Amino acid sequence: MILLFIFRVPVINLNMSKFAFSFSLMCSGLALAAGGGGVVADPGAMQGKHFDVKGKAPSSYTIELQNGLRKTLPFQDKRDFEESKKGFIAAPSYKTIMADAGNVAWDMGSYEFLLQGKDFDSVHPSLQRQAILNMGYGLYEVVPGKIYQVRGFDLANISFIKTDTGWIVFDPLTAKETARAALELVNEKLGKRPVVAVVYSHSHGDHFGGVRGVVDEADVKSGKVKVIAPVGFMDHAVAENVYAGNAMTRRMYFQYGVLLPRSPFGHVDQSIGKNTAAGNLGLIEPNVYIAQPFEKMTVDGVEMEFQNTPGTEAPAEMNTYFPQFKAFWAAENITGTIHNIYTLRGALVRDALAWSKNINNALYRYGNDTEVMFASHSWPRWGNERIQEVMRTQRDSYAHLNNEVLHLANNGVTINEIHNVYKQPESLRSQWAAHSYHGSEEHNSRAVVNRYLGYWDANPATLIPLSPKDSAPLYVEMMGGPSKIMAKGRELYKQGKYREAMEIVNKLVYAEPNNTAAKDLLADIFEQIGYQKESPSVRNSFLGAAYELRHGMPSGASPKSNGPDMIKAMTTELWLNSLAISMDSKKAAGMTFTINLSTPDNGEKFVVEMSNSALTNIKGQQAKNPTLTVTINRSDLEKVMGGQTTFEQLQAEGKAKFDGDRNAFDQLRSTLTIFKPDFELMPGTKPKQSTPKQTPPKTQDPFAAQEMAITAGE
């Protein structure tokens, strides 16, 4: 009997959340329900049944590996479990939080298969431990009568600091609905109090997106409520994810496992939390910025010292110390995992050395006095000795990664070798706080080399290599053809030599993307590798690729337009830069024009020039003899950027003025592309028949801002 499993996929739509892309797919007994809202549990998870009719159980080699890890990992250290339960007050009666749009925004119950008390051979034992630790759900007391957290309502924690008259909210989650539910729980259990301030610890979406669930924008604009953020917050909250946003969106399907049902064979955890809520992501601009390296502030009787830590987990991030409570807020710089130096969905490589030094600064400035350390993910640590232990462990993990990788690189180890050579010292591996759940030693070590030396390994043969689809047929021919590769691949698979099998079968799949047997074998190989990985980002990537190899890419509704808060936060210059990226330069061949853009309501002026198939802009200038001058208020331009209207409609309403040769504008429009996150990541996975797609709104315009991938704690 073919089982039909229905599971929802988080969507990649900034009106809903950073994962607002709904899919509709029926193949091999799997149905992906359009409308999204978070992947629900695989109905067979409790019975240990695989959700995929093509899926395989863990091999004897994978089981042997997992059993060996269960004997050698430091499971005798149970302090994290004790700390994760400490201070528990109450859980709500519900496990599901609905979005205002009617979809499921959050479903903690979909992970309850993890609480069976059973070891899953399809999950790395260390990852299973982390996944259980992240099952904390409800209201917790961190400092008696003063600091509280709601955990398990989203990817991040939301924290509440009791002031003289109200609450200071730290990091209001991804979605308005989950943040609102958390505030309601706090007020129900602790007494209703107004929110007097909000602190954004950093510029990732799961730390600001739910702000409209806890405060009203009018109160922020009037100054009644402070919204406090590190300097550079607004720029980085939007800009980090715009230029390559469409590619990031597609790649997040792998890192975040958005096609995988919640199952021992699929998605089990996201390392810093269970997953990301699929509700309304918003943004209210801060009215207080922390600009100095260390800056003190008192809000409604609560003293705080902010420590700016740029270039660590986010380009704009800050820790906070509460001297009255001897409490240290570590933002996302010190959590229950070693983080990403390079995040697999794509981002600028981070600085492991700067990260280590910022932890060191916090250790020596606050570490001797701190009695509780809490953060935007994971669970608090109590007691000065324990806190200093964790701070040193994570400081040394990032420092060792940076220093040892560069030591090896200076001895000739290349970016294509480092992940097989770099190892943490045993003194770190024996500590849970040094384990790389969100990152991995493999991809973080390569990132350090890339940061300092770039992607080239200094072998001229790899400097301008053939594309995989061009080189693969040569390998297949030299290896004796598909049948020999398949035979050898199956032999290696049966021997548990999965990476060796991957190396050759992957070549065959690139050479013959329609070879179903080869794709199925590669999927089987990927699946076993995924089962064996400690990092859920790596696990999800292998398991997600296995799914696509077996069933093809999903198809469905195209992303909707960006939410109004994110559009408003996008600078005009950033929008113009993104237009230049969306331009198909081949269509621009021979075009030459200059456009003056003026937005009177905010006093901005730009020159936009097309030449040599490149679109450039400069702020604060106007060309003397432009081809065309466009005058439009920034407030009206935002409606074009958000796809709510077009330039033509605004022109008809007298809200957009064109002076000069209109042909320049039309030429520019003719070159613009609307990106869609439906390109192949694995060869031969494009669906043969597309399901019906949503009809774009009539106001759809190439000038609308492209979708962006709002980063959540990566």
Side-chain angles (χ1 to χ4, degrees):
M1 176 181 178
I2 296 179
L3 297 176
L4 177 67
F5 300 125
I6 305 294
F7 57 99
R8 297 190 185 96
V9 178
V11 267
I12 304 164
N13 161 15
L14 296 179
N15 292 330
M16 300 288 291
S17 92
K18 70 174 186 181
F19 290 130
F21 185 69
S22 56
F23 299 106
S24 179
L25 174 67
M26 176 88 63
C27 63
S28 299
L30 291 172
L32 292 154
V39 181
V40 302
D42 161 29
M46 293 294 187
Q47 291 75 38
K49 297 177 181 177
H50 203 299
F51 60 86
D52 191 337
V53 294
K54 286 190 173 184
K56 302 295 188 297
S59 69
S60 60
Y61 298 99
T62 295
I63 293 171
E64 182 181 3
L65 174 68
Q66 313 293 42
N67 285 336
L69 290 167
R70 291 181 186 116
K71 295 175 183 177
T72 56
L73 286 166
F75 286 109
Q76 68 279 4
D77 182 356
K78 300 184 183 300
R79 288 176 296 172
D80 285 332
F81 284 97
E82 296 164 3
E83 290 164 335
S84 69
K85 296 174 183 176
K86 184 174 179 177
F88 176 72
I89 296 174
S93 59
Y94 53 83
K95 294 290 179 69
T96 300
I97 300 172
M98 300 301 295
D100 292 346
N103 62 289
V104 176
W106 184 251
D107 182 10
M108 194 63 168
S110 64
Y111 289 102
E112 288 189 340
F113 65 87
L114 289 164
L115 302 180
Q116 296 181 58
K118 174 184 177 182
D119 288 335
F120 297 112
D121 291 326
S122 55
V123 183
H124 189 290
S126 176
L127 174 56
Q128 184 171 342
R129 172 190 175 277
Q130 182 78 354
I132 294 170
L133 282 165
N134 281 331
M135 288 296 290
Y137 181 65
L139 175 62
Y140 294 79
E141 185 178 63
V142 178
V143 173
K146 293 298 181 182
I147 299 179
Y148 303 87
Q149 286 189 315
V150 174
R151 299 180 213 143
F153 274 44
D154 207 322
L155 186 67
N157 303 325
I158 181 171
S159 300
F160 296 85
I161 318 301
K162 191 174 183 180
T163 68
D164 290 345
T165 65
W167 299 114
I168 301 173
V169 176
F170 270 66
D171 286 6
L173 308 181
T174 308
K176 177 179 74 173
E177 295 88 343
T178 52
R180 181 175 61 205
L183 179 60
E184 289 171 353
L185 178 64
V186 167
N187 283 335
E188 174 193 343
K189 300 299 181 183
L190 303 176
K192 189 171 183 179
R193 302 170 69 85
V195 174
V196 299
V198 174
V199 175
Y200 301 146
S201 72
H202 62 285
S203 53
H204 290 153
D206 54 326
H207 302 269
F208 65 76
V211 64
R212 292 187 182 275
V214 297
V215 294
D216 188 278
E217 187 172 17
D219 290 337
V220 177
K221 288 186 174 180
S222 71
K224 180 181 177 181
V225 174
K226 287 183 170 64
V227 175
I228 305 165
V231 65
F233 169 86
M234 285 297 286
D235 288 340
H236 293 299
V238 180
E240 185 182 26
N241 308 288
V242 171
Y243 298 142
N246 189 66
M248 289 182 186
T249 294
R250 179 69 177 100
R251 291 160 66 104
M252 282 194 298
Y253 301 167
F254 281 5
Q255 181 183 350
Y256 275 79
V258 301
L259 295 180
L260 300 173
R262 292 167 182 175
S263 159
F265 302 99
H267 196 280
V268 297
D269 199 59
Q270 206 52 53
S271 67
I272 52 175
K274 299 314 298 179
N275 214 307
T276 305
N280 286 286
L281 184 147
L283 175 60
I284 296 176
E285 185 173 359
N287 52 18
V288 178
Y289 286 98
I290 305 303
Q292 300 303 314
F294 299 95
E295 197 165 323
K296 294 181 179 180
M297 182 183 299
T298 299
V299 176
D300 197 26
V302 173
E303 299 172 19
M304 295 176 284
E305 180 172 281
F306 299 104
Q307 176 199 4
N308 261 314
T309 62
T312 51
E313 190 271 337
E317 187 152 357
M318 63 186 185
N319 300 326
T320 307
Y321 182 64
F322 301 87
Q324 295 158 296
F325 315 134
K326 294 187 176 180
F328 176 63
W329 161 264
E332 200 166 332
N333 290 318
I334 306 172
T335 62
T337 172
I338 296 302
H339 219 285
N340 290 304
I341 300 303
Y342 163 66
T343 180
L344 298 180
R345 51 92 190 172
L348 296 176
V349 172
R350 295 160 185 169
D351 189 340
L353 183 59
W355 204 324
S356 174
K357 286 182 177 292
N358 274 295
I359 294 175
N360 212 17
N361 286 335
L363 172 64
Y364 277 87
R365 192 175 182 94
Y366 311 118
N368 289 327
D369 300 319
T370 299
E371 293 299 331
V372 59
M373 178 172 66
F374 64 119
S376 56
H377 296 279
S378 308
W379 48 92
R381 273 76 174 221
W382 284 270
N384 188 259
E385 182 179 351
R386 169 65 164 159
I387 291 163
Q388 290 203 41
E389 172 197 330
V390 173
M391 293 178 83
R392 282 189 167 87
T393 297
Q394 296 221 342
R395 176 200 66 183
D396 295 347
S397 293
Y398 293 114
H400 185 274
L401 174 72
N402 184 85
N403 299 340
E404 179 66 9
V405 166
L406 290 177
H407 176 88
L408 292 166
N410 278 304
N411 276 288
V413 180
T414 72
I415 193 170
N416 293 325
E417 300 167 324
I418 191 67
H419 53 287
N420 294 317
V421 178
Y422 173 75
K423 302 293 180 187
Q424 277 189 327
E426 184 55 36
S427 58
L428 285 175
R429 288 207 58 77
S430 64
Q431 301 183 65
W432 290 117
H435 281 244
S436 298
Y437 299 106
H438 212 34
S440 77
E441 289 180 28
E442 293 95 338
H443 75 262
N444 277 346
S445 60
R446 298 188 76 185
V448 173
V449 176
N450 190 38
R451 181 177 180 87
Y452 289 95
L453 295 174
Y455 63 84
W456 185 40
D457 65 357
N459 180 344
T462 66
L463 184 57
I464 47 172
L466 291 169
S467 296
K469 66 178 181 180
D470 296 323
S471 65
L474 298 175
Y475 284 93
V476 171
E477 180 185 357
M478 293 300 295
M479 285 189 279
S483 59
K484 286 193 174 182
I485 295 174
M486 289 293 291
K488 185 63 176 178
R490 290 190 180 105
E491 178 187 340
L492 291 168
Y493 177 82
K494 290 177 181 178
Q495 294 172 353
K497 297 179 179 179
Y498 302 123
R499 291 178 67 196
E500 291 86 344
M502 175 178 66
E503 187 74 17
I504 62 171
V505 178
N506 186 58
K507 292 285 194 295
L508 177 55
V509 169
Y510 268 97
E512 298 184 357
N514 295 319
N515 187 329
T516 300
K519 290 192 291 184
D520 284 348
L521 177 56
L522 185 57
D524 291 347
I525 295 164
F526 280 174
E527 190 170 53
Q528 296 300 322
I529 294 173
Y531 291 161
Q532 296 180 10
K533 289 303 177 182
E534 182 178 47
S535 164
S537 296
V538 178
R539 170 191 172 89
N540 293 340
S541 297
F542 277 97
L543 297 185
Y547 177 84
E548 292 197 18
L549 283 165
R550 287 166 173 161
H551 305 296
M553 259 174 47
S555 58
S558 298
K560 298 178 182 178
S561 60
N562 291 312
D565 286 350
M566 300 308 298
I567 292 295
K568 186 177 180 181
M570 185 184 293
T571 65
T572 308
E573 183 175 15
L574 186 60
W575 172 69
L576 290 171
N577 291 346
S578 69
L579 288 183
I581 293 168
S582 68
M583 189 188 80
D584 184 340
S585 64
K586 297 180 183 64
K587 294 181 180 179
M591 292 183 184
T592 303
F593 55 76
T594 302
I595 300 175
N596 280 345
L597 173 64
S598 176
T599 53
D601 59 342
N602 67 354
E604 287 187 331
K605 295 182 183 296
F606 292 86
V607 178
V608 180
E609 186 175 349
M610 175 78 83
S611 63
N612 298 309
S613 298
L615 189 69
T616 60
N617 71 81
I618 184 168
K619 185 178 180 180
Q621 300 288 333
Q622 293 279 269
K624 290 183 178 180
N625 297 299
T627 311
L628 174 68
T629 296
V630 178
T631 305
I632 181 174
N633 282 332
R634 162 69 197 211
S635 58
D636 290 320
L637 180 61
E638 287 170 8
K639 296 176 183 177
V640 177
M641 294 162 63
Q644 299 166 283
T645 188
T646 65
F647 277 103
E648 282 78 9
Q649 289 174 328
L650 291 175
Q651 193 175 16
E653 296 168 6
K655 296 179 179 179
K657 185 180 179 183
F658 286 60
D659 294 314
D661 185 358
R662 166 64 187 248
N663 187 53
F665 177 86
D666 293 334
Q667 281 186 318
L668 175 57
R669 169 180 274 159
S670 72
T671 69
L672 300 180
T673 300
I674 298 175
F675 294 132
K676 296 179 181 179
D678 61 356
F679 53 83
E680 288 184 348
L681 290 178
M682 295 304 302
T685 56
K686 198 102 172 169
K688 294 179 181 178
Q689 293 183 342
S690 297
T691 55
K693 298 199 175 199
Q694 289 180 343
T695 302
K698 291 182 180 179
T699 55
Q700 185 69 33
D701 193 301
F703 286 100
Q706 295 284 355
E707 291 299 319
M708 66 188 81
I710 295 299
T711 310
E714 295 134 339

